């Protein structure tokens, strides 16, 4: 067994690296810690240990921590300790106890900022694949437990529990037992106690066979995922993804691309139904179709573009008054608007203005204002008067964004519309007085700055 771990470790670590062993005190982790210590000189590694107390089994949890403390003192190994109230988190978040424990445990490992070795075995991989089959899985679920993910390595995947028990006996190593492993109150334990023994009657080397299968399927999954990543990159534009690019992909790549897209912004608790809903959105004939996602996210069509964004994005903004010389903020749009009076407009000069409007046609009695579009709004263009509603449709401005487009008025008439232009009646000519209106992005909303 030592030779198996030695061979795997050479592909997972580098000389002079620190490897922290996640030690629960159980048979698997004690064996792993003992072997890593024995090969540390040959591989030029520094070995440390970490233990996380889930506080789920009262005195037994404390006993496990005390055992690991004593073991590390005996073997002169630096120990990192962590703990959390798993039950409290599960109650607060609605997660299962197993899910809450896993998230807290791995958050602790991540906080160590070093390579962490966990003692998952070939038998653990078998149970994981069977669990995924029971729940209904994709190809990725059949790939089982990855040998490496980020800073986590699993050098024990090539060994079985039977080999570990034999190793502990040969080296006279003691360990602690988690009493909950003997209970049948969770699916994994029932598989371990009732299903796996039946399957091993048909194939005594079942764990090794499934591990080989997982390794082969992982290669296929990596290849397909690579193609999906390339396709997603081609479809990306400045704010979303071009639907016309994605709909041409085979379903096997398209759904992987959708999953990657949603995972990249950390949409939580993704299920096959969410992936399917967003995939169907790509083919929707409705240019403003949308799908709600977990965690307050929204996938939305904007004509040929697919956007994934927080569902809390503003749907409009509050009107603001504009001084003739000054500035105001529109916090919902993260914009700063500045105005300046220009006594004589010179078309030859380079103005860094978004808009320039004739001063003499502004109603001085009423004040300048920036507001969302109103139902009856029209603007005069060189080709004639157009309603903003029809103009936005023609220009394929998404429905969800139309109430976010600033309209500049003097209380009597529309002077200009952001992203459209200045009304043809209000374009200044050389020598006339004008007002420049400059829109500047703040980068963050006021709420974010706080």
């Amino acid at each position: 067994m030592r030779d198996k771990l030695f061979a795997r470790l050479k592909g997972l670590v580098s000389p002079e690296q620190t490897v922290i062993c996640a030690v629960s005190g159980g048979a698997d982790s004690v064996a792993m810690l003992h072997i890593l210590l024995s090969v540390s000189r040959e591989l030029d590694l520094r070995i440390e240990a970490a233990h996380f107390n889930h506080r789920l089994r009262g005195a037994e949890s404390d006993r496990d921590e005390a055992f690991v403390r004593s073991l590390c003192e005996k073997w002169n190994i630096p120990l990192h300790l962590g703990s959390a109230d798993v039950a409290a988190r599960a109650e607060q978040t609605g997660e299962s106890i197993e899910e809450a424990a896993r998230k807290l445990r791995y958050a602790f490992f991540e906080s160590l900022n070093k390579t962490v070795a966990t003692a998952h075995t070939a038998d653990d991989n078998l149970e994981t694949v069977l669990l995924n089959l029971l729940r209904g899985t994709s190809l990725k679920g059949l790939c089982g437990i990855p040998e490496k993910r980020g800073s986590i390595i699993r050098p024990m995947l090539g060994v079985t529990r039977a080999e570990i028990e034999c190793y502990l006996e040969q080296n006279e190593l003691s360990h602690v037992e988690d009493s909950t492993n003997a209970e049948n109150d969770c699916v994994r334990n029932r598989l371990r106690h009732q299903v796996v023994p039946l399957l091993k009657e048909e194939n005594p080397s079942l764990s090794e066979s499934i591990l080989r299968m997982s390794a082969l399927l992982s290669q296929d999954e990596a290849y397909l995922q690579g193609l999906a990543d390339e396709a997603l990159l081609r479809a990306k534009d400045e704010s979303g993804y071009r639907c016309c690019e994605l709909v041409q992909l085979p379903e096997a790549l398209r759904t992987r691309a959708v999953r990657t897209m949603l995972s990249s912004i950390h949409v939580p608790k993704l299920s096959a139904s969410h992936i399917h809903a967003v995939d169907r959105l790509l083919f929707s004939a409705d240019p403003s179709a949308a799908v709600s996602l977990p965690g307050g996210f929204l996938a939305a069509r904007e004509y040929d573009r697919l956007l994934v964004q927080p569902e809390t994005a503003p749907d409009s903004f509050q009107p603001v008054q504009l001084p003739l010389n000054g500035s105001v903020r529109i916090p919902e749009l993260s914009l700063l608007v500045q105005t300046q009076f220009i006594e004589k407009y010179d078309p030859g000069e380079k103005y860094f203005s978004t808009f320039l409007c004739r001063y003499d046609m502004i109603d001085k009695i009423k004040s300048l204002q920036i507001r969302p579009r109103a139902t009856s709004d029209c603007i005069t263009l060189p080709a004639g008067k157009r309603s903003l509603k029809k103009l936005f449709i023609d220009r394929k401005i998404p429905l969800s964004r139309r109430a976010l487009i600033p309209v500049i008025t003097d209380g009597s008439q529309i002077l200009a519309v952001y992203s459209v232009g200045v009304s043809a009646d209000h374009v200044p000519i050389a020598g006339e007085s004008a007002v420049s209106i400059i829109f500047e992005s703040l980068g963050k909303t006021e709420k974010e700055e706080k």
Side-chain angles (χ1 to χ4, degrees), residues 239-290:
S239 60
Y241 300 88
R242 291 183 295 277
C243 299
C244 62
E245 296 265 359
L246 296 175
V247 296
Q248 296 177 30
L249 298 174
E251 186 174 355
L253 296 185
R254 196 177 63 247
T255 53
R256 278 178 170 79
V258 168
R259 178 178 288 278
T260 301
M261 179 197 311
L262 300 181
S263 298
S264 68
I265 60 168
H266 309 293
V267 175
K269 295 185 179 179
L270 276 179
S271 68
S273 62
H274 298 127
I275 304 298
H276 178 74
V278 176
D279 182 49
R280 293 301 89 200
L281 194 60
L282 296 171
F283 294 87
S284 175
D286 182 351
S288 300

Short mmCIF file of all heavy atoms in Angstrom, two decimals, residues 239-290:
data_model
loop_
_atom_site.label_atom_id
_atom_site.label_comp_id
_atom_site.label_asym_id
_atom_site.label_seq_id
_atom_site.Cartn_x
_atom_site.Cartn_y
_atom_site.Cartn_z
N SER A 239 -21.21 41.74 -22.65
CA SER A 239 -22.11 41.66 -21.49
C SER A 239 -22.84 40.34 -21.34
O SER A 239 -23.50 40.12 -20.33
CB SER A 239 -23.15 42.78 -21.56
OG SER A 239 -23.92 42.67 -22.75
N GLY A 240 -22.75 39.46 -22.30
CA GLY A 240 -23.47 38.20 -22.21
C GLY A 240 -22.95 37.20 -23.21
O GLY A 240 -21.75 37.17 -23.53
N TYR A 241 -23.85 36.35 -23.73
CA TYR A 241 -23.49 35.30 -24.66
C TYR A 241 -24.42 35.35 -25.87
O TYR A 241 -25.63 35.50 -25.71
CB TYR A 241 -23.57 33.92 -23.98
CG TYR A 241 -22.67 33.79 -22.79
CD1 TYR A 241 -23.10 34.18 -21.52
CD2 TYR A 241 -21.37 33.30 -22.93
CE1 TYR A 241 -22.25 34.09 -20.42
CE2 TYR A 241 -20.53 33.21 -21.82
CZ TYR A 241 -20.97 33.59 -20.58
OH TYR A 241 -20.14 33.51 -19.50
N ARG A 242 -23.86 35.20 -27.05
CA ARG A 242 -24.67 35.23 -28.27
C ARG A 242 -25.40 33.90 -28.44
O ARG A 242 -24.78 32.85 -28.60
CB ARG A 242 -23.78 35.52 -29.48
CG ARG A 242 -23.21 36.93 -29.50
CD ARG A 242 -22.40 37.19 -30.77
NE ARG A 242 -21.22 36.34 -30.81
CZ ARG A 242 -20.08 36.64 -30.20
NH1 ARG A 242 -19.97 37.75 -29.48
NH2 ARG A 242 -19.05 35.83 -30.28
N CYS A 243 -26.71 33.98 -28.43
CA CYS A 243 -27.53 32.77 -28.54
C CYS A 243 -27.31 32.07 -29.87
O CYS A 243 -27.32 30.84 -29.94
CB CYS A 243 -29.01 33.11 -28.36
SG CYS A 243 -29.41 33.84 -26.76
N CYS A 244 -27.13 32.84 -30.94
CA CYS A 244 -26.97 32.24 -32.26
C CYS A 244 -25.76 31.32 -32.32
O CYS A 244 -25.73 30.36 -33.11
CB CYS A 244 -26.88 33.32 -33.33
SG CYS A 244 -25.45 34.44 -33.13
N GLU A 245 -24.74 31.60 -31.50
CA GLU A 245 -23.56 30.73 -31.45
C GLU A 245 -23.85 29.46 -30.67
O GLU A 245 -23.47 28.36 -31.07
CB GLU A 245 -22.40 31.48 -30.77
CG GLU A 245 -21.91 32.69 -31.52
CD GLU A 245 -20.72 32.37 -32.41
OE1 GLU A 245 -20.29 31.20 -32.42
OE2 GLU A 245 -20.25 33.28 -33.10
N LEU A 246 -24.54 29.60 -29.55
CA LEU A 246 -24.77 28.46 -28.66
C LEU A 246 -25.78 27.46 -29.22
O LEU A 246 -25.65 26.26 -29.01
CB LEU A 246 -25.22 28.95 -27.28
CG LEU A 246 -24.18 29.78 -26.51
CD1 LEU A 246 -24.77 30.32 -25.22
CD2 LEU A 246 -22.93 28.95 -26.21
N VAL A 247 -26.81 27.94 -29.92
CA VAL A 247 -27.84 27.01 -30.42
C VAL A 247 -27.30 26.08 -31.49
O VAL A 247 -27.92 25.05 -31.79
CB VAL A 247 -29.08 27.78 -30.95
CG1 VAL A 247 -29.77 28.55 -29.84
CG2 VAL A 247 -28.71 28.71 -32.10
N GLN A 248 -26.16 26.41 -32.08
CA GLN A 248 -25.59 25.54 -33.11
C GLN A 248 -24.83 24.36 -32.52
O GLN A 248 -24.48 23.43 -33.24
CB GLN A 248 -24.64 26.37 -34.00
CG GLN A 248 -25.32 27.47 -34.78
CD GLN A 248 -24.34 28.29 -35.59
OE1 GLN A 248 -23.30 27.79 -36.02
NE2 GLN A 248 -24.64 29.56 -35.79
N LEU A 249 -24.57 24.38 -31.22
CA LEU A 249 -23.79 23.32 -30.59
C LEU A 249 -24.62 22.06 -30.42
O LEU A 249 -25.83 22.13 -30.18
CB LEU A 249 -23.29 23.77 -29.22
CG LEU A 249 -22.35 24.98 -29.16
CD1 LEU A 249 -22.10 25.35 -27.71
CD2 LEU A 249 -21.05 24.67 -29.88
N PRO A 250 -23.98 20.88 -30.47
CA PRO A 250 -24.68 19.65 -30.09
C PRO A 250 -25.14 19.75 -28.64
O PRO A 250 -24.49 20.43 -27.83
CB PRO A 250 -23.61 18.56 -30.25
CG PRO A 250 -22.55 19.16 -31.11
CD PRO A 250 -22.58 20.64 -30.88
N GLU A 251 -26.22 19.09 -28.30
CA GLU A 251 -26.78 19.21 -26.96
C GLU A 251 -25.76 18.86 -25.87
O GLU A 251 -25.71 19.50 -24.82
CB GLU A 251 -28.02 18.34 -26.82
CG GLU A 251 -28.73 18.52 -25.49
CD GLU A 251 -30.04 17.77 -25.41
OE1 GLU A 251 -30.44 17.17 -26.44
OE2 GLU A 251 -30.65 17.75 -24.33
N ALA A 252 -24.92 17.85 -26.14
CA ALA A 252 -23.94 17.43 -25.13
C ALA A 252 -22.97 18.56 -24.78
O ALA A 252 -22.55 18.70 -23.64
CB ALA A 252 -23.16 16.22 -25.63
N LEU A 253 -22.62 19.40 -25.77
CA LEU A 253 -21.73 20.53 -25.50
C LEU A 253 -22.51 21.73 -25.00
O LEU A 253 -22.04 22.46 -24.12
CB LEU A 253 -20.97 20.91 -26.78
CG LEU A 253 -20.00 19.88 -27.35
CD1 LEU A 253 -19.26 20.46 -28.53
CD2 LEU A 253 -19.01 19.43 -26.28
N ARG A 254 -23.70 21.93 -25.56
CA ARG A 254 -24.49 23.12 -25.20
C ARG A 254 -24.87 23.11 -23.72
O ARG A 254 -24.75 24.12 -23.03
CB ARG A 254 -25.73 23.19 -26.08
CG ARG A 254 -26.41 24.55 -26.08
CD ARG A 254 -27.59 24.57 -27.02
NE ARG A 254 -28.62 23.64 -26.63
CZ ARG A 254 -28.97 22.54 -27.31
NH1 ARG A 254 -28.37 22.25 -28.45
NH2 ARG A 254 -29.92 21.73 -26.87
N THR A 255 -25.34 21.97 -23.23
CA THR A 255 -25.74 21.91 -21.83
C THR A 255 -24.54 22.03 -20.89
O THR A 255 -24.64 22.59 -19.80
CB THR A 255 -26.51 20.61 -21.53
OG1 THR A 255 -25.73 19.48 -21.97
CG2 THR A 255 -27.85 20.60 -22.24
N ARG A 256 -23.38 21.52 -21.32
CA ARG A 256 -22.16 21.72 -20.53
C ARG A 256 -21.80 23.20 -20.49
O ARG A 256 -21.37 23.73 -19.47
CB ARG A 256 -21.00 20.91 -21.12
CG ARG A 256 -20.98 19.45 -20.71
CD ARG A 256 -19.82 18.72 -21.38
NE ARG A 256 -19.66 17.39 -20.82
CZ ARG A 256 -20.42 16.34 -21.13
NH1 ARG A 256 -21.39 16.50 -22.02
NH2 ARG A 256 -20.21 15.16 -20.57
N ALA A 257 -21.95 23.87 -21.65
CA ALA A 257 -21.65 25.30 -21.71
C ALA A 257 -22.58 26.08 -20.78
O ALA A 257 -22.15 27.00 -20.07
CB ALA A 257 -21.78 25.80 -23.14
N VAL A 258 -23.85 25.71 -20.75
CA VAL A 258 -24.81 26.38 -19.88
C VAL A 258 -24.43 26.17 -18.42
O VAL A 258 -24.44 27.11 -17.61
CB VAL A 258 -26.24 25.89 -20.15
CG1 VAL A 258 -27.20 26.37 -19.06
CG2 VAL A 258 -26.73 26.37 -21.51
N ARG A 259 -24.08 24.94 -18.05
CA ARG A 259 -23.70 24.65 -16.67
C ARG A 259 -22.47 25.46 -16.28
O ARG A 259 -22.41 26.04 -15.19
CB ARG A 259 -23.42 23.16 -16.48
CG ARG A 259 -22.96 22.80 -15.07
CD ARG A 259 -22.73 21.32 -14.90
NE ARG A 259 -23.97 20.58 -14.88
CZ ARG A 259 -24.75 20.44 -13.82
NH1 ARG A 259 -24.41 21.02 -12.67
NH2 ARG A 259 -25.85 19.75 -13.88
N THR A 260 -21.49 25.53 -17.17
CA THR A 260 -20.27 26.29 -16.89
C THR A 260 -20.59 27.77 -16.72
O THR A 260 -20.06 28.45 -15.82
CB THR A 260 -19.25 26.10 -18.02
OG1 THR A 260 -18.95 24.70 -18.14
CG2 THR A 260 -17.97 26.87 -17.75
N MET A 261 -21.45 28.29 -17.58
CA MET A 261 -21.86 29.69 -17.52
C MET A 261 -22.47 30.02 -16.16
O MET A 261 -22.13 31.03 -15.54
CB MET A 261 -22.89 29.95 -18.63
CG MET A 261 -23.44 31.35 -18.72
SD MET A 261 -24.98 31.37 -19.69
CE MET A 261 -24.51 30.45 -21.16
N LEU A 262 -23.36 29.17 -15.69
CA LEU A 262 -24.05 29.41 -14.42
C LEU A 262 -23.12 29.18 -13.23
O LEU A 262 -23.19 29.88 -12.22
CB LEU A 262 -25.29 28.53 -14.32
CG LEU A 262 -26.34 28.73 -15.42
CD1 LEU A 262 -27.54 27.82 -15.18
CD2 LEU A 262 -26.80 30.18 -15.48
N SER A 263 -22.25 28.18 -13.35
CA SER A 263 -21.31 27.91 -12.26
C SER A 263 -20.30 29.03 -12.09
O SER A 263 -19.83 29.30 -10.98
CB SER A 263 -20.57 26.59 -12.52
OG SER A 263 -21.47 25.50 -12.56
N SER A 264 -19.96 29.71 -13.19
CA SER A 264 -18.94 30.75 -13.13
C SER A 264 -19.38 31.94 -12.28
O SER A 264 -18.54 32.68 -11.77
CB SER A 264 -18.58 31.23 -14.54
OG SER A 264 -19.67 31.94 -15.13
N ILE A 265 -20.68 32.15 -12.14
CA ILE A 265 -21.15 33.24 -11.27
C ILE A 265 -21.71 32.68 -9.97
O ILE A 265 -22.38 33.38 -9.21
CB ILE A 265 -22.21 34.11 -11.98
CG1 ILE A 265 -23.43 33.26 -12.38
CG2 ILE A 265 -21.65 34.80 -13.18
CD1 ILE A 265 -24.61 34.10 -12.81
N HIS A 266 -21.45 31.38 -9.72
CA HIS A 266 -21.75 30.74 -8.44
C HIS A 266 -23.25 30.71 -8.14
O HIS A 266 -23.68 30.96 -7.02
CB HIS A 266 -21.00 31.41 -7.29
CG HIS A 266 -19.54 31.54 -7.54
ND1 HIS A 266 -18.71 30.45 -7.63
CD2 HIS A 266 -18.75 32.63 -7.77
CE1 HIS A 266 -17.47 30.85 -7.88
NE2 HIS A 266 -17.48 32.17 -7.98
N VAL A 267 -24.05 30.40 -9.17
CA VAL A 267 -25.48 30.16 -8.92
C VAL A 267 -25.58 28.89 -8.07
O VAL A 267 -25.10 27.83 -8.47
CB VAL A 267 -26.25 29.97 -10.24
CG1 VAL A 267 -27.70 29.61 -9.96
CG2 VAL A 267 -26.19 31.25 -11.08
N PRO A 268 -26.18 28.94 -6.88
CA PRO A 268 -26.17 27.79 -5.96
C PRO A 268 -27.23 26.74 -6.31
O PRO A 268 -28.22 27.03 -6.99
CB PRO A 268 -26.49 28.43 -4.62
CG PRO A 268 -27.36 29.61 -4.97
CD PRO A 268 -26.85 30.12 -6.29
N LYS A 269 -27.00 25.53 -5.84
CA LYS A 269 -27.97 24.43 -5.93
C LYS A 269 -28.52 24.24 -7.34
O LYS A 269 -29.72 24.12 -7.56
CB LYS A 269 -29.12 24.66 -4.95
CG LYS A 269 -28.68 24.64 -3.49
CD LYS A 269 -29.84 24.75 -2.54
CE LYS A 269 -29.39 24.69 -1.09
NZ LYS A 269 -30.50 24.81 -0.14
N LEU A 270 -27.62 24.20 -8.31
CA LEU A 270 -28.04 23.98 -9.70
C LEU A 270 -28.53 22.55 -9.87
O LEU A 270 -27.92 21.60 -9.38
CB LEU A 270 -26.85 24.21 -10.64
CG LEU A 270 -26.57 25.64 -11.07
CD1 LEU A 270 -25.35 25.68 -11.97
CD2 LEU A 270 -27.76 26.24 -11.77
N SER A 271 -29.62 22.39 -10.56
CA SER A 271 -30.15 21.06 -10.85
C SER A 271 -30.30 20.91 -12.36
O SER A 271 -30.16 21.87 -13.12
CB SER A 271 -31.52 20.88 -10.19
OG SER A 271 -32.48 21.74 -10.80
N ALA A 272 -30.60 19.68 -12.79
CA ALA A 272 -30.80 19.42 -14.22
C ALA A 272 -31.94 20.26 -14.77
O ALA A 272 -31.91 20.70 -15.93
CB ALA A 272 -31.06 17.93 -14.44
N SER A 273 -32.97 20.51 -13.94
CA SER A 273 -34.11 21.30 -14.43
C SER A 273 -33.71 22.75 -14.71
O SER A 273 -34.21 23.37 -15.65
CB SER A 273 -35.26 21.25 -13.41
OG SER A 273 -34.86 21.82 -12.17
N HIS A 274 -32.80 23.30 -13.89
CA HIS A 274 -32.32 24.67 -14.14
C HIS A 274 -31.51 24.73 -15.44
O HIS A 274 -31.67 25.66 -16.24
CB HIS A 274 -31.47 25.16 -12.98
CG HIS A 274 -32.20 25.23 -11.68
ND1 HIS A 274 -31.74 24.62 -10.54
CD2 HIS A 274 -33.37 25.82 -11.35
CE1 HIS A 274 -32.60 24.85 -9.55
NE2 HIS A 274 -33.59 25.57 -10.02
N ILE A 275 -30.64 23.75 -15.63
CA ILE A 275 -29.83 23.69 -16.85
C ILE A 275 -30.74 23.59 -18.06
O ILE A 275 -30.56 24.29 -19.07
CB ILE A 275 -28.86 22.49 -16.82
CG1 ILE A 275 -27.97 22.53 -15.58
CG2 ILE A 275 -28.02 22.45 -18.09
CD1 ILE A 275 -27.09 23.71 -15.47
N HIS A 276 -31.75 22.74 -17.98
CA HIS A 276 -32.69 22.54 -19.09
C HIS A 276 -33.46 23.84 -19.38
O HIS A 276 -33.66 24.21 -20.54
CB HIS A 276 -33.66 21.41 -18.77
CG HIS A 276 -34.68 21.18 -19.85
ND1 HIS A 276 -34.36 20.57 -21.05
CD2 HIS A 276 -36.01 21.49 -19.91
CE1 HIS A 276 -35.45 20.50 -21.80
NE2 HIS A 276 -36.45 21.06 -21.14
N ALA A 277 -33.89 24.53 -18.33
CA ALA A 277 -34.68 25.76 -18.51
C ALA A 277 -33.86 26.83 -19.23
O ALA A 277 -34.36 27.51 -20.13
CB ALA A 277 -35.18 26.27 -17.17
N VAL A 278 -32.59 26.99 -18.84
CA VAL A 278 -31.75 27.99 -19.48
C VAL A 278 -31.41 27.55 -20.91
O VAL A 278 -31.37 28.38 -21.83
CB VAL A 278 -30.47 28.24 -18.67
CG1 VAL A 278 -29.54 29.21 -19.38
CG2 VAL A 278 -30.83 28.79 -17.29
N ASP A 279 -31.22 26.26 -21.11
CA ASP A 279 -30.96 25.73 -22.46
C ASP A 279 -32.14 26.04 -23.39
O ASP A 279 -31.97 26.46 -24.53
CB ASP A 279 -30.71 24.22 -22.38
CG ASP A 279 -30.39 23.62 -23.74
OD1 ASP A 279 -29.52 24.17 -24.44
OD2 ASP A 279 -31.02 22.61 -24.11
N ARG A 280 -33.37 25.85 -22.89
CA ARG A 280 -34.56 26.15 -23.71
C ARG A 280 -34.69 27.64 -23.98
O ARG A 280 -35.22 28.07 -25.01
CB ARG A 280 -35.83 25.65 -23.00
CG ARG A 280 -35.96 24.14 -22.88
CD ARG A 280 -35.97 23.45 -24.23
NE ARG A 280 -34.61 23.11 -24.69
CZ ARG A 280 -34.28 22.86 -25.94
NH1 ARG A 280 -35.19 22.95 -26.90
NH2 ARG A 280 -33.05 22.55 -26.27
N LEU A 281 -34.18 28.45 -23.06
CA LEU A 281 -34.23 29.90 -23.22
C LEU A 281 -33.44 30.34 -24.46
O LEU A 281 -33.80 31.32 -25.12
CB LEU A 281 -33.64 30.56 -21.96
CG LEU A 281 -33.88 32.05 -21.73
CD1 LEU A 281 -35.37 32.35 -21.64
CD2 LEU A 281 -33.19 32.49 -20.45
N LEU A 282 -32.39 29.59 -24.78
CA LEU A 282 -31.59 29.91 -25.96
C LEU A 282 -32.41 29.83 -27.25
O LEU A 282 -32.13 30.53 -28.23
CB LEU A 282 -30.39 28.96 -26.07
CG LEU A 282 -29.35 29.03 -24.95
CD1 LEU A 282 -28.36 27.89 -25.10
CD2 LEU A 282 -28.64 30.37 -24.97
N PHE A 283 -33.43 28.98 -27.24
CA PHE A 283 -34.24 28.75 -28.44
C PHE A 283 -35.56 29.53 -28.42
O PHE A 283 -36.36 29.42 -29.34
CB PHE A 283 -34.56 27.26 -28.57
CG PHE A 283 -33.36 26.40 -28.82
CD1 PHE A 283 -32.60 25.92 -27.77
CD2 PHE A 283 -32.96 26.09 -30.12
CE1 PHE A 283 -31.48 25.13 -27.99
CE2 PHE A 283 -31.84 25.30 -30.35
CZ PHE A 283 -31.10 24.82 -29.29
N SER A 284 -35.78 30.33 -27.38
CA SER A 284 -37.05 31.03 -27.23
C SER A 284 -37.26 32.06 -28.35
O SER A 284 -36.33 32.76 -28.76
CB SER A 284 -37.11 31.73 -25.87
OG SER A 284 -38.28 32.51 -25.76
N ALA A 285 -38.50 32.14 -28.82
CA ALA A 285 -38.86 33.15 -29.83
C ALA A 285 -39.13 34.50 -29.18
O ALA A 285 -39.23 35.51 -29.88
CB ALA A 285 -40.09 32.69 -30.62
N ASP A 286 -39.28 34.51 -27.86
CA ASP A 286 -39.55 35.75 -27.12
C ASP A 286 -38.22 36.45 -26.86
O ASP A 286 -37.38 35.94 -26.12
CB ASP A 286 -40.26 35.43 -25.81
CG ASP A 286 -40.61 36.67 -25.00
OD1 ASP A 286 -40.18 37.77 -25.38
OD2 ASP A 286 -41.31 36.53 -23.99
N PRO A 287 -38.00 37.65 -27.42
CA PRO A 287 -36.70 38.32 -27.25
C PRO A 287 -36.47 38.85 -25.84
O PRO A 287 -35.38 39.32 -25.53
CB PRO A 287 -36.77 39.48 -28.24
CG PRO A 287 -38.23 39.76 -28.38
CD PRO A 287 -38.91 38.43 -28.27
N SER A 288 -37.50 38.75 -24.97
CA SER A 288 -37.35 39.22 -23.59
C SER A 288 -37.67 38.13 -22.57
O SER A 288 -38.00 38.41 -21.43
CB SER A 288 -38.27 40.44 -23.34
OG SER A 288 -37.94 41.50 -24.21
N ALA A 289 -37.58 36.87 -23.00
CA ALA A 289 -37.89 35.75 -22.11
C ALA A 289 -36.85 35.68 -20.98
O ALA A 289 -35.71 36.11 -21.12
CB ALA A 289 -37.91 34.44 -22.89
N ALA A 290 -37.28 35.14 -19.84
CA ALA A 290 -36.39 35.06 -18.68
C ALA A 290 -36.71 33.83 -17.85
O ALA A 290 -37.82 33.30 -17.90
CB ALA A 290 -36.50 36.32 -17.83
#
